[in-house]
Amino acid sequence: MGVQKDRVRFNVGGRVFETTATTLANAGRNSLFGAMFDDNWDLQSHAGTTTTEHFIDRNPDCFAVLLDLLRTGELHIPSNVPEKLLYREALFYGLLDHVRAAKWGSFDGNMLRLARSVRGLAPGDGTAIRAGPDGGCCVAHGSMVHVYDWMMEEHPPISLDYQRVNDAIWVDSDNVVISACERLGRDEGGIGLFSSLTGELRYKFRVTHENQAKSYTGGALSFNSDYKLFSSCKGRSNEYGIGVWDQVTGKQVDFFYEPTGWSLGEADKLQWLHGTNCLLVATLFPRKDNCYISLLDFRDKSMVWLWSDIGAPLTDERRVRDAIAMEETRSVCVVNEYEDLGFMDLRRSVGSVRWSSRSRLMKGKMVDEPCYPKLALHEGQLFSSMNDSISVFSGPDWVLTSRLRNSYGGSICDFSIGGDRLFSLHSEENVFDVWETRPSPVM
């Protein structure tokens, strides 16, 4: 893009602003200002003049803030401008992404700061939290799912009519898939696609067995880049296993039935591995007395890797509470009740855990009502929750590099990363925290 010297004048709500085409070009092609340029990013002239006044019937105070953002890359909101009003105006001009980028930077677990804590309005404690792709989130409370946009404004809740929610996953910023328990005596439960904006049910994902639709409990969820949705399924007879649907049409396209002596239908966690085109399925204690972790290849309906603690002497120090696959190192990371990390090699057909003990640091520090640790992997960093904190591990040896902590609300029962934010849900007080990376300073 060449240097633009065309001056542009705006009359916004009666106030006159003057800027340059170069500054406006920073807004991007998809903004309102993008329409003022031709295909070569030259300002489209009007009647041969180089300075033209454009009238916009909008808020001038907000326009001043947004124009300064385009000039400097920094966002400064004066006290007389409500943030919600500024966001509304940014949406009108097509600058909402610029505002978000200026408020928080690219995600880095070692640079996170507590931005806010949000008290939910629903009675009872939350059970699960899932980060949305645009910086929002959804929180499950029993049979309700409360949806928040990136400004932490709550949308109409999603109600599942007294069916307990098991998991949720975002398809995009407008749609969320929710799995729920079957209600005995009624053909309900399973999985549905809902609007995150209105809470409306758009369609259900049904399970068929021998050409008959079956009632079932939907469990852990995952999807891949080919628009396939995966869910653990627990039916009344033979419908135990992993169902697969086309997430665009809602039609069932496959089903991996649970082998005898193994556990798939009650899995706690699913994770699609893009490099190997396999699905990690983990059923963990205390849902089952034993733990089962396996990799499924749907191309030939095979179990290409597996591990279980059946037959092993079990103590609390060695019970697996969560698991996550790490494709770059071709391993599976697991965690126990004391936040000890263990690793299993995916290059071996049958796994064995190599523990990296840190339990001596944690024993004697357990809270009265601890929550089981959870794991997450994001952009080369490993995250593990324990009591009221989340540990961040970095580097090839997964060294502890930072810890996030907020004691208010009790232990962390779940956390999720997405939209350049980390959300942590506490087990008490119906509260969740929003962690963000500070934006990089503009030189």
Side-chain angles (χ1 to χ4, degrees), residues 158-197:
I158 300 171
S159 175
L160 277 78
D161 191 22
Y162 303 104
Q163 302 164 80
R164 182 172 60 84
V165 174
N166 288 326
D167 200 0
I169 189 169
W170 291 81
V171 175
D172 51 42
S173 58
D174 296 330
N175 298 280
V176 61
V177 174
I178 298 172
S179 64
C181 291
E182 174 191 15
R183 291 183 64 187
L184 294 178
R186 300 179 64 177
D187 186 19
E188 295 178 350
I191 309 169
L193 178 74
F194 294 83
S195 166
S196 64
L197 303 177

Side-chain angles (χ1 to χ4, degrees), residues 349-397:
S349 58
V350 179
S352 60
V353 183
R354 175 176 57 84
W355 290 98
S356 175
S357 178
R358 299 194 309 122
S359 61
R360 290 189 301 274
L361 301 177
M362 302 306 303
K363 286 182 178 178
K365 298 183 181 181
M366 301 293 287
V367 296
D368 293 337
E369 295 184 5
C371 294
Y372 297 130
K374 298 290 180 68
L375 293 171
L377 188 67
H378 190 79
E379 296 184 356
Q381 293 177 317
L382 180 65
F383 299 79
S384 174
S385 63
M386 182 69 188
N387 296 339
D388 60 358
S389 65
I390 296 176
S391 300
V392 184
F393 302 88
S394 308
D397 297 323

Side-chain angles (χ1 to χ4, degrees), residues 102-367:
K103 283 188 69 66
W104 69 85
S106 299
F107 189 90
D108 183 347
N110 292 317
M111 301 294 290
L112 292 174
R113 61 180 177 90
L114 180 62
R116 67 178 75 180
S117 295
V118 180
R119 289 290 301 268
L121 300 178
D125 300 326
T127 55
I129 191 166
R130 297 293 179 265
D134 63 350
C137 71
C138 64
V139 183
H141 292 84
S143 61
M144 303 285 289
V145 177
H146 295 265
V147 182
Y148 299 83
D149 61 24
W150 74 277
M151 296 177 287
M152 295 297 103
E153 288 291 307
E154 186 173 356
H155 292 178
I158 300 171
S159 175
L160 277 78
D161 191 22
Y162 303 104
Q163 302 164 80
R164 182 172 60 84
V165 174
N166 288 326
D167 200 0
I169 189 169
W170 291 81
V171 175
D172 51 42
S173 58
D174 296 330
N175 298 280
V176 61
V177 174
I178 298 172
S179 64
C181 291
E182 174 191 15
R183 291 183 64 187
L184 294 178
R186 300 179 64 177
D187 186 19
E188 295 178 350
I191 309 169
L193 178 74
F194 294 83
S195 166
S196 64
L197 303 177
T198 66
E200 173 190 7
L201 174 64
R202 292 185 166 165
Y203 52 78
K204 288 187 175 182
F205 298 88
R206 303 191 181 277
V207 166
T208 58
H209 179 69
E210 296 179 348
N211 297 321
Q212 291 185 343
K214 298 291 184 178
S215 180
Y216 69 101
T217 289
L221 298 169
S222 183
F223 61 80
N224 66 11
S225 57
D226 293 329
Y227 304 103
K228 297 295 189 296
L229 173 72
F230 302 85
S231 176
S232 56
C233 300
K234 178 183 176 183
R236 298 179 186 177
S237 53
N238 295 322
E239 308 84 42
Y240 277 70
I242 306 297
V244 188
W245 295 265
D246 185 317
Q247 72 180 39
V248 177
T249 65
K251 302 297 183 182
Q252 182 183 340
V253 296
D254 208 345
F255 200 94
F256 196 118
Y257 288 94
E258 181 177 287
T260 302
W262 202 255
S263 178
L264 298 177
E266 295 181 275
D268 296 89
K269 190 167 195 173
L270 302 184
Q271 179 190 355
W272 180 258
L273 308 186
H274 299 276
T276 58
N277 288 319
C278 291
L279 184 73
L280 175 84
V281 183
T283 307
L284 306 164
F285 181 84
R287 189 180 300 275
K288 288 283 192 176
D289 290 336
N290 293 99
C291 300
Y292 305 83
I293 304 175
S294 51
L295 285 186
L296 307 185
D297 190 333
F298 283 81
R299 291 166 293 190
D300 59 3
K301 293 292 182 65
S302 64
M303 197 176 294
V304 297
W305 182 92
L306 54 88
W307 173 87
S308 175
D309 58 11
I310 295 177
L314 292 179
T315 61
D316 285 341
E317 289 83 354
R318 291 298 178 260
R319 276 201 183 277
V320 171
R321 302 295 191 176
D322 200 8
I324 192 166
M326 302 186 294
E327 287 198 89
E328 288 190 5
T329 58
R330 303 182 71 178
S331 62
V332 172
C333 178
V334 296
V335 64
N336 69 2
E337 188 169 325
Y338 299 101
E339 208 188 8
D340 298 337
L341 300 179
F343 299 89
M344 293 183 280
D345 193 339
L346 286 174
R347 291 167 293 189
R348 299 180 180 180
S349 58
V350 179
S352 60
V353 183
R354 175 176 57 84
W355 290 98
S356 175
S357 178
R358 299 194 309 122
S359 61
R360 290 189 301 274
L361 301 177
M362 302 306 303
K363 286 182 178 178
K365 298 183 181 181
M366 301 293 287
V367 296

